[in-house]
Amino acid sequence: NIDSVGWPICGEIDIMEQTGANKNKILGTCHWSANGNNASYGLESDISNASSEFHVYSMEWTETYIKIFLDEVEYYEIALNNDLPFNKDFFLILNVAMGGTLGGTIDSGFTEDTMEIDYIRVYQ
């Protein structure tokens, strides 16, 4: 419902966020609105060879929690309640942050890069 209520009221679930400045750290994060301001809860996990090998990022999402995993190891959990917006359809977000407060300074020589995704599966 981002078109009708806007962000962050609609909520956001980042299954994987990788900062542009540190490719060996990933984050799982949920964002929502607290009185019109961005509220979030995120945790990070260290990862080696994130840019040279495939890894499995996964999420379990129930009525009572969201859990995020890296290579089948849970590193994030948030308990859900009726005050949080995580009871509607969402986009699947795998994010490589560039610029801004999360992505850091972009190298002036940067021209392009590639993010390869082997597959996305959704089970219900």
Side-chain angles (χ1 to χ4, degrees), residues 9 13 15 19-20 53-54 63 67 81 89 107 112 117:
I9 295 169
I13 302 170
I15 299 168
T19 66
E53 294 183 16
F54 281 102
E63 293 179 0
K67 295 180 180 182
N81 60 53
D89 292 339
D107 185 300
E112 66 180 49
I117 298 174

Side-chain angles (χ1 to χ4, degrees), residues 59-72:
M59 177 179 69
E60 288 182 13
W61 179 14
T62 72
E63 293 179 0
T64 58
Y65 65 81
I66 293 174
K67 295 180 180 182
I68 299 176
F69 303 80
L70 169 61
D71 293 330
E72 300 183 14

Side-chain angles (χ1 to χ4, degrees), residues 1-113:
N1 61 351
I2 191 170
D3 292 335
S4 60
V5 300
W7 188 92
I9 295 169
C10 64
E12 176 180 323
I13 302 170
D14 293 295
I15 299 168
M16 183 280 292
E17 289 183 296
Q18 182 188 60
T19 66
N22 183 355
K23 296 196 183 314
N24 293 317
K25 176 176 69 173
I26 54 126
L27 298 93
T29 309
C30 288
H31 301 272
W32 63 92
S33 174
N35 300 318
N37 298 307
N38 174 29
S40 63
Y41 173 66
L43 292 174
E44 61 185 54
S45 182
D46 292 324
I47 183 172
S48 60
N49 55 38
S51 298
S52 60
E53 294 183 16
F54 281 102
H55 293 274
V56 177
Y57 304 93
S58 54
M59 177 179 69
E60 288 182 13
W61 179 14
T62 72
E63 293 179 0
T64 58
Y65 65 81
I66 293 174
K67 295 180 180 182
I68 299 176
F69 303 80
L70 169 61
D71 293 330
E72 300 183 14
V73 176
E74 178 186 330
Y75 74 95
Y76 176 96
E77 181 175 356
I78 184 171
L80 302 182
N81 60 53
N82 291 333
D83 295 331
L84 297 174
F86 306 114
N87 58 356
K88 297 179 175 53
D89 292 339
F90 272 78
F91 299 106
L92 299 175
I93 300 177
L94 304 169
N95 176 25
V96 177
M98 296 184 64
T101 57
L102 184 60
T105 303
I106 299 172
D107 185 300
S108 61
F110 177 82
T111 58
E112 66 180 49
D113 206 340

